[in-house]
Every structure is written in C-alpha cells, then in structure tokens.
Amino acid sequence: MNSRISFPIVGMHCASCAKLIERKLHTTPGVVDAAVNYGSEEATVDFDPKTANLQTLGKAVYDIGYQAILEGDQTKTPGKLKEEAKRRELSHLKTLVFVSVIISIFIFLGSFPEWFAPLFSLVSLTSLYELLKTPMVLLLLATPVQFWAGWGFYQATWSGLKNRTASMDTLITIGTSAAYGFSVATTLFGTQLSKAGFPLIMYFDTSSVIITLILLGRYLEAKAKAHTGDAIKKLLHLQAKTARVVKNGKEFDVPIGEVKVGDTIRVRPGEKIPVDGTIIEGTSSIDESMVTGESIPVDKKSGDSVIGATMNKTGTFVFQATKVGSKTMLSQIIKLVAEAQSSRAPIQRLADSVSGYFVPIVLMLAVATFVVWFDFGPPTNGFALGFTNMIAVLIIACPCALGLATPTAIMVGTGKGAEHGILIKDAESLEIADKISVAVFDKTRTLTVGKPVVTDIIPQKGMSDSELLTLAASLEQGSEHSLAEAIVTKAKEQHLSFHETADFQAVPGFGIRGLIKQKSVFLGNRALLDKEHIPYVTAETNIANLEKEGKTVMLLASEKKLEGIIAVADTLKPEAKDMVEKLKKMHIVVWMITGDNKRTASAVASLAGIENILAGVLPQEKAEKMTELKHSVIPSEVEGSLSSKRWIPCQAWNDNPIVAFIGDGINDAPALASSDVGIAMGSGTDVAIESAGITLLNKDLRSVISAIRLSKVTLSIIKQNLFWAFSYNIILIPFAMGVFYPFTGWLLNPALAAFAMAASSLSVVGNSLRLNLIQIDTIAKG
C-alpha cells in the first residue's frame, strides 16, 4: 500500500526549479508519483514505504540544492518551520538587496562620466569621481555583487547542470557572467583586446544592476506571495491555545495538545471552543462564522454538537470532547485547503509544458541573436550590439510568470473560499465548477430544511386551533414518528398543556388512537376514518388542496366526529427559489432528485421554480442517474414536463453537460462522486469531504451560487495571468532580440529587461491577490 505525503520546499525561484525537483523525486527509488507546485512551494509524493521514507525524500531534494521540511517537533509543525525558513530567507534577501542597491548606485554613477561628472564638479568632488570611474574601482565594486549577492544564481545553475537541466537561474548566470567577464577582460587586458579588434566596452553596470533588480523583484515577489497563503495562517490562528478540563469536580487549564477524546470541558462566555464535541450541560449561542461562514450565531443546547475554534457568545456550558488534534473539523479544513492550494489545475498543463522547453529555447535564441547581430549588424558596433542584445534576451525571458499564473490564483481563490465556509477539494474541482451546465439538487435536507413542521391547522366548527393542536399533541406525545415530533414541537412552541392519554395504540398504515378525557380520539389518514366510519366529506376540498401542495394530511376525530385537519411538511428553504432563479440566469439547467412520490416532488419543485424532476429514485440509484445526465441521456422514469428539450441549452447537451450534484453529504456519497463535481451542503463530515469536490459548511443554498461564481472569478484571473505571461514573453523576447529595430529603431537595455522580468512576476501575483477583494458574503446576491 502506497503512502502519500505533502511537504513544503524552501529555495525555489522559478517554475523550472519545481520541474527539477519533480524530476529528481520521480527518479528516487520507491517514489510512485510526485508533483511540485511552485506557487505554493509544496511537493506531493506518492511512495512505497518499504522502499522510500522521509529521509530519502529529504535527501533527494537536498542533493539538488533545496530544503524539504518534512517533520516538526511538538511545538512546531512543518508549516511553522516553513514560515520560519521563509522569514530567514526573506531577511537574507533583504540584506542582499540593500547592499546591492548601494553598490550598484556607485557603479552606475562611475559608468557614465558624461552624465554625472558635471554633478560631482558642482559639489567639489571631482577627485572622488575620477577615482570612482576608474575600471579597477568598478571591478572591485562589481565583484561582491556578482559573486556574493548573485551566489544563489550560481548555486542553482550548478545544481541544474549536475542534473542535466536548466532554469531561469541559468539564464541569469550566463547573462550576468558574460557581462561581468567581458568587463574584467577589458579592464585587465584592454590593450590586447583592442589589437584583436574587440571594442573596449565595460558592462559592470549591466551585470550589477541586473542582479540587483532581479533580487529586488524576488524580494517583492516573496513578500507578495506570502499573502497568497494568508487563509491558512488565519485558520491556524483560529485554534484555541488551552482548554478548561473538568475532572473530579475540579477545573484546570491544559494545553490544547493534551486534550483527549472523552474529556469534559467547560466553556465560558467570550471563550473559544477548544475542540469538537457534544454539549452535556448548559445552553449558549455560538458564533460559527469563522468555520461555516454563517454570520448569525447558532443556539445550542444539551445534545448538540459544537465545533472547535468557534466562539461562545452568551452562556456557560460543559461539553464532552469527541474529536481532537488532526481529527477536528478545523484541522480537516486546514488540511483540505493546503492540499487544494498544492494541487494542479488542468488549465495549468499548457504552461507546465511550455516551461519545460522554455530555457533551452531561450538559450538558442540568445546565441542566434548574438550571431545575427555580429554578422549582419553595423560594422562599427556589431559586436557590442550583439553582445548587449544577447544579454537582454537571457534576462528578459521569464518562465516565472508562467509558473505563477495558475497556482497563485488557486491559492488565493481556495483560501478566500475557506474563510467563508466554501471548501474546495482540489484545483480541478474549482476549474470544473466554472463549466457547470446542469445542477441536480437532492430534495431532503438540501432544498428543504429536512425537518417536518406543522404548516396548517384547520379546525372544524366548534373547535379552535389551540384545542385541535392540544388534542393531537396529547395523542402524539407517546409516538416516536417524525410527524409526531413536528406536532408536539408546535404545541410546545405555543406553550400548550397536554392531556393525559390512555390506551394509546399505533395502527400501522393508518395512524394512532387513544383515550383523552374518556373519549376516543383518532389521528391519521382517510383510511383510518373510513375504518372507524367517521365522515370527512366536508373537509375533502381542504384535504385535496393540501395534498396538491405536497403536504402530509392528518385528520383528527373525536368519537364519531371530525374535529379538524393538521398538515405537516418538510418546508422549502426560504432562499431556494431565489437560488434557482439565479442559476437559470447563469444558463444552468436545474433538476431535483428525490425518493418521494411524484405528487410531493412536484409540489416542492413548483415552489422552488424547478421544472425538471426525478422522483421515486432510491439512494443507490442516484449515482446511475448522474451518469445518464453526464452522457446526455434523459434519465429514465423522469417526472415532470419533459415533452421537449427546449429548457436544455442544445450546445451543452450535445457536448455532454458538466453535471453538478448538490446533496447533504451524508447519504449521497455515490452521487457526489459520480457527478462531474459534487457539492456537499451543510456538512463537514469526512464522507462529504472525501466524496465531494466542494463542501459548503453552511446550509444557505446561496453558497452554491457563491462557489460557482468564486470558481468563475478565479478562472478569469488565471486566464488573465496566462494571457499576460504568454504575451509578455511572445512580445518582449523578440523585442530584446532587436527584431523590431529596423522598423522602430528601438533596442532594449539589459537593465530594463531585468526590471521588466521582475515586473512580470509581480504583476501575476498582484493580479491573483485581487481575489482577496471579492466579497463572498454578497457574491450570491449579485
């Protein structure tokens, strides 16, 4: 049995680095599959534990110049260790940038005496400037920038060469080394080079400024990328640090890591609930918005479950821990978000394919640029122009933007969703949600509340509403049926007093009977009253109308007289109709699937505005119906008006529609898994998270709209990023080669090329961070 592990990697600088690590892991004995995500800086590896282990994986990564963070201690998880390593790396990078900027300014000033000599003479520093512009001083200044600040480029290049691959670091190393090396040769052997026909040009400013700008770009990029993981950080900070455990009548605080399943814990007003559990004493109102995204606090009583990291608002209560450590809902959410952020979307395949061939192609283009300019350029400066343009080509090329285009948007999008109770399992689910053309909703507990309630109380003449409800509740208080619970609950809500019931008897298929105040009382269907020869013809119209609405009708009779009608129904969620209308406006065909009969299903669907119904479907048959829909087949035994296909977008139907199944995630696992993308409503269970592509932790149906629109916005950002990344390289590489020079007279300075290269990566990250501006709370209302 293979094992899977995801772990952070520190030291990656571009998409080519990720490719190198991925290739190395693939060749490691025991590794079955490996994927490295440059955006999230995470590796996911499937391996045979008999052949490979954490040490071999870590060594494989270390051997090519990177650091894998595989294990933490009791106080520091791999995630925290990664954050510390990134902070150290960022601090070191900041030092390199600071020193390089100062040195590069002096080099730049000394390299252009025609520009800056007058300025120094104005401040009486002519002698200092004469010293600054001497080649040997420029050499001494440029050397630490080249080999101290730029040492990381050389390390990465050497590591790549040892593994027969090249990266962006290779391009930077070759470009800056060529500029620095020719300048050194000019400084030390100028006379000999001049005799050989080489121009005496120094490029110390080019090499130093390029390294400085690239380091500055990496520093800013690292700062920006740190914000793409803000969602994980926020989730980690939600967890309580301690728990107040009750044992043997005493209370004492313990670290959260020491809480065990079965411990009794007290929570006071204003405190965070430390772990998942069940209330055994007390009541309270709990703010679950940080986990579910629902802003309204939820009232809790004995027997109700509570979620770790949520906030207790009012009362004090005691609960028993049921899930601790990595088993809590918050831990599962963090794990799911981390895996989603590290996953690879199908849309990323093209960028991955291009980046694999990118560096070798750029190297060939750079050589071709030099040769063409040297052979066909102006006789006086063909070498200089060819050399300068070659460096510009090496520096302008940027596979980083391609590598960052998709993962940064995925990281921000999935993180933004998690903050509002929308858990996206992987990048593929996020991408598929953008293409949904058919949405199939389970009825019970998805479109409906999932709990029957009394909807109508219709007393006969001489009987009041409260009297009728009192008789029915008094009779039903001994029953365990869900309809009985609805009647009893309604009576308690109205603070009615119950009568004692004698000789209670359930009549299967008919209803119940009993004695109240020495009178026989019956509550059931028509068949029960027929059996007892009790007429109900005067109520037939009301009964028929209620049944048309999909309600369960119960008739209450006393002795030989009908006393009234009570109707019970599983009510539609108030936001269902609005949600269906919005889906239709998005050109998504809406279906409802249920095990109920046609009459009940039609009534509920009509209230929700759904025309397409699959009724009488058993739970085990739902997956089969999803398969039929996915293959453009109208499911068998369809209930509803399906005389024509006009309600189905023909193009989507003919091309096999993308089908989403939306269920409660408890007994709908097969249907969730068999649809193109499963959306589990109002459940954080392991079954839902495993089976569904998207899990919505709150029960508001408008979250379905939010999830789909979040997907659309995220995919839009990804497409913008990819368009920019491809356009940048397609346009600017030829520009750096000088292709447009005959038409415009423009050439690209290598220093400007370095600036543009850094800006391209920053623009992609910045564009992805725009997703943080989306208001998920209101997105479904738009």
Side-chain angles (χ1 to χ4, degrees):
M1 179 104 181
N2 293 332
S3 298
R4 168 172 288 193
I5 185 173
S6 294
F7 52 86
I9 294 178
V10 177
M12 287 193 286
H13 299 131
C14 67
S16 300
C17 297
K19 281 286 183 186
L20 172 59
I21 299 169
E22 198 170 280
R23 185 185 305 171
K24 180 66 175 178
L25 287 170
H26 271 295
T27 59
T28 302
V31 172
V32 178
D33 192 22
V36 180
N37 188 309
Y38 171 49
S40 62
E41 298 178 314
E42 297 262 343
T44 301
V45 182
D46 292 321
F47 64 97
D48 181 355
K50 295 178 181 178
T51 311
N53 53 39
L54 297 184
Q55 287 70 33
T56 56
L57 296 178
K59 186 176 185 302
V61 174
Y62 179 80
D63 286 345
I64 53 174
Y66 303 91
Q67 179 188 357
I69 302 176
L70 289 157
E71 293 180 290
D73 53 34
Q74 292 183 344
T75 59
K76 295 178 182 177
T77 63
K80 289 182 179 179
L81 290 173
K82 176 190 174 184
E83 288 300 316
E84 289 183 3
K86 292 299 293 181
R87 277 196 295 270
R88 288 194 300 269
E89 184 182 36
L90 202 59
S91 176
H92 178 61
L93 202 51
K94 185 177 181 180
T95 302
L96 295 180
V97 170
F98 180 76
V99 175
S100 297
V101 165
I102 293 174
I103 295 176
S104 295
I105 289 174
F106 284 113
I107 294 172
F108 190 77
L109 291 173
S111 299
F112 297 95
E114 65 276 17
W115 295 353
F116 300 107
L119 177 64
F120 276 82
S121 65
L122 285 176
V123 292
S124 302
L125 292 174
T126 304
S127 58
L128 175 63
Y129 189 71
E130 289 297 323
L131 177 65
L132 184 61
K133 71 178 185 178
T134 56
M136 190 56 70
V137 171
L138 293 175
L139 170 60
L140 293 173
L141 289 172
T143 300
V145 176
Q146 186 70 35
F147 297 108
W148 174 69
W151 185 243
F153 302 128
Y154 285 96
Q155 284 182 312
T157 299
W158 176 242
S159 176
L161 292 175
K162 286 193 298 182
N163 291 275
R164 297 186 298 280
T165 188
S167 66
M168 191 191 77
D169 293 294
T170 309
L171 302 179
I172 296 167
T173 300
I174 293 173
T176 59
S177 295
Y180 174 83
F182 188 79
S183 302
V184 171
T186 300
T187 301
L188 300 179
F189 311 105
T191 304
Q192 293 89 327
L193 288 175
S194 180
K195 290 179 181 179
F198 287 96
L200 298 182
I201 303 173
M202 286 189 296
Y203 296 94
F204 287 127
D205 59 303
T206 299
S207 63
S208 298
V209 171
I210 285 172
I211 288 175
T212 300
L213 286 174
I214 292 173
L215 289 174
L216 176 61
R218 285 191 176 177
Y219 174 74
L220 296 175
E221 179 189 321
K223 292 272 286 185
K225 278 176 65 180
H227 292 294
T228 63
D230 282 350
I232 292 286
K233 295 174 190 172
K234 289 178 182 177
L235 289 170
L236 287 169
H237 291 155
L238 288 177
Q239 194 173 44
K241 300 295 186 292
T242 60
R244 182 171 290 102
V245 176
V246 181
K247 281 186 180 179
N248 301 322
K250 295 181 180 180
E251 298 180 10
F252 48 92
D253 291 338
V254 300
I256 191 73
E258 296 181 13
V259 177
K260 298 180 179 61
V261 173
D263 281 351
T264 302
I265 301 167
R266 182 179 297 279
V267 183
R268 296 180 296 194
E271 293 181 339
K272 283 184 179 179
I273 298 169
V275 295
D276 297 358
T278 303
I279 295 177
I280 57 177
E281 179 187 320
T283 59
S284 185
S285 177
I286 296 175
D287 179 5
E288 297 182 339
S289 61
M290 60 285 297
V291 174
T292 66
E294 293 195 47
S295 57
I296 301 174
V298 182
D299 292 332
K300 300 280 186 176
K301 62 183 184 302
S302 180
D304 289 342
S305 60
V306 291
I307 304 169
T310 55
M311 183 67 72
N312 182 29
K313 301 291 286 185
T314 54
T316 297
F317 64 89
V318 177
F319 76 97
Q320 187 174 52
T322 56
K323 291 182 179 180
V324 300
S326 62
K327 302 296 183 183
T328 64
M329 183 183 290
L330 179 64
S331 295
Q332 292 297 311
I333 291 172
I334 292 171
K335 179 184 176 184
L336 187 69
V337 174
E339 289 177 351
Q341 291 184 341
S342 299
S343 62
R344 188 171 293 172
I347 197 173
Q348 191 177 343
R349 290 170 187 159
L350 176 61
D352 288 344
S353 178
V354 170
S355 63
Y357 299 99
F358 188 86
V359 174
I361 291 172
V362 171
L363 286 171
M364 289 188 286
L365 289 174
V367 172
T369 299
F370 176 78
V371 171
V372 170
W373 276 97
F374 183 75
D375 288 343
F376 302 102
T380 54
N381 61 346
F383 176 88
L385 288 174
F387 193 76
T388 303
N389 290 339
M390 179 189 72
I391 295 171
V393 170
L394 292 169
I395 301 304
I396 196 72
C398 185
C400 291
L402 285 172
L404 290 168
T406 300
T408 51
I410 293 293
M411 287 180 70
V412 180
T414 54
K416 186 70 176 177
E419 290 176 19
H420 295 83
I422 301 172
L423 298 185
I424 298 165
K425 185 177 182 180
D426 51 38
E428 185 174 5
S429 298
L430 185 68
E431 183 173 338
I432 292 174
D434 174 54
K435 304 182 183 77
I436 291 172
S437 54
V438 176
V440 184
F441 287 84
D442 186 40
K443 181 183 80 72
T444 307
R445 289 187 300 271
T446 302
L447 288 172
T448 65
V449 176
K451 189 175 182 180
V453 295
V454 174
T455 57
D456 300 87
I457 301 173
I458 306 174
Q460 294 293 91
K461 190 174 180 179
M463 177 72 65
S464 67
D465 287 11
S466 59
E467 288 173 331
L468 180 64
L469 184 58
T470 298
L471 283 173
S474 299
L475 198 60
E476 289 280 28
Q477 63 182 326
S479 173
E480 295 180 353
H481 197 279
S482 59
L483 299 181
E485 183 182 354
I487 293 173
V488 172
T489 299
K490 184 71 172 179
K492 288 180 178 178
E493 287 175 356
Q494 296 186 9
H495 306 291
L496 301 177
S497 299
F498 296 172
H499 302 307
E500 287 189 12
T501 301
D503 296 333
F504 174 84
Q505 182 184 356
V507 186
F510 294 89
I512 57 175
R513 62 188 299 169
L515 288 176
I516 297 178
K517 294 183 177 180
Q518 302 303 314
K519 287 185 178 182
S520 294
V521 179
F522 307 90
L523 180 64
N525 54 24
R526 288 187 181 92
L528 178 62
L529 268 65
D530 288 338
K531 183 180 178 182
E532 298 297 332
H533 306 292
I534 301 173
Y536 52 86
V537 65
T538 56
E540 190 61 56
T541 301
N542 284 331
I543 294 171
N545 290 335
L546 290 170
E547 287 181 339
K548 286 179 182 177
E549 295 173 5
K551 297 174 182 177
T552 301
V553 178
M554 290 179 283
L555 308 176
L556 189 139
S558 173
E559 297 294 341
K560 296 297 180 180
K561 175 187 175 186
L562 177 67
E563 301 290 2
I565 303 169
I566 294 178
V568 176
D570 183 3
T571 57
L572 190 73
K573 289 181 179 179
E575 72 275 11
K577 187 174 179 64
D578 179 56
M579 181 271 303
V580 171
E581 288 177 0
K582 283 184 169 62
L583 286 176
K584 289 179 178 179
K585 288 179 181 178
M586 297 166 70
H587 306 291
I588 295 174
V589 179
V590 183
W591 288 69
M592 186 186 81
I593 190 168
T594 178
D596 288 343
N597 58 45
K598 176 182 176 180
R599 183 185 62 206
T600 302
S602 298
V604 174
S606 177
L607 290 173
I610 299 174
E611 296 116 6
N612 315 304
I613 309 161
L614 279 165
V617 180
L618 298 174
Q620 61 268 28
E621 296 174 339
K622 291 179 181 178
E624 178 186 337
K625 301 303 178 187
M626 294 306 102
T627 302
E628 290 177 4
L629 276 172
K630 283 167 61 177
H631 292 87
S632 305
V633 178
I634 297 180
S636 57
E637 301 177 19
V638 170
E639 303 290 355
S641 177
L642 296 175
S643 57
S644 72
K645 295 183 184 178
R646 56 186 171 76
W647 42 266
I648 298 174
C650 295
Q651 187 65 33
W653 190 256
N654 293 334
D655 291 345
N656 291 351
I658 301 299
V659 178
F661 179 84
I662 301 95
D664 62 16
I666 298 171
N667 59 359
D668 294 325
L672 287 166
S674 63
S675 61
D676 290 301
V677 57
I679 302 177
M681 286 289 303
S683 173
T685 64
D686 293 339
V687 172
I689 290 175
E690 185 63 32
S691 304
I694 299 174
T695 303
L696 306 176
L697 295 181
N698 63 62
K699 298 180 181 180
D700 191 327
L701 281 167
R702 286 170 295 193
S703 294
V704 175
I705 305 290
S706 295
I708 294 173
R709 287 191 173 159
L710 176 63
S711 167
K712 290 184 179 296
V713 174
T714 304
L715 264 292
S716 175
I717 292 289
I718 289 173
K719 290 171 184 176
Q720 291 169 19
N721 287 348
L722 288 172
F723 175 80
W724 163 248
F726 278 112
S727 299
Y728 164 87
N729 286 295
I730 289 171
I731 294 171
L732 291 186
I733 290 178
F735 196 93
M737 293 172 67
V739 171
F740 302 114
Y741 179 76
F743 313 104
T744 64
W746 295 344
L747 290 173
L748 189 63
N749 184 286
L752 289 177
F755 175 80
M757 189 271 287
S760 69
S761 297
L762 282 171
S763 65
V764 166
V765 176
N767 193 42
S768 297
L769 287 172
R770 288 197 303 117
L771 284 165
N772 280 321
L773 302 177
I774 296 172
Q775 297 298 317
I776 297 291
D777 294 331
T778 59
I779 195 170
K781 301 176 184 178

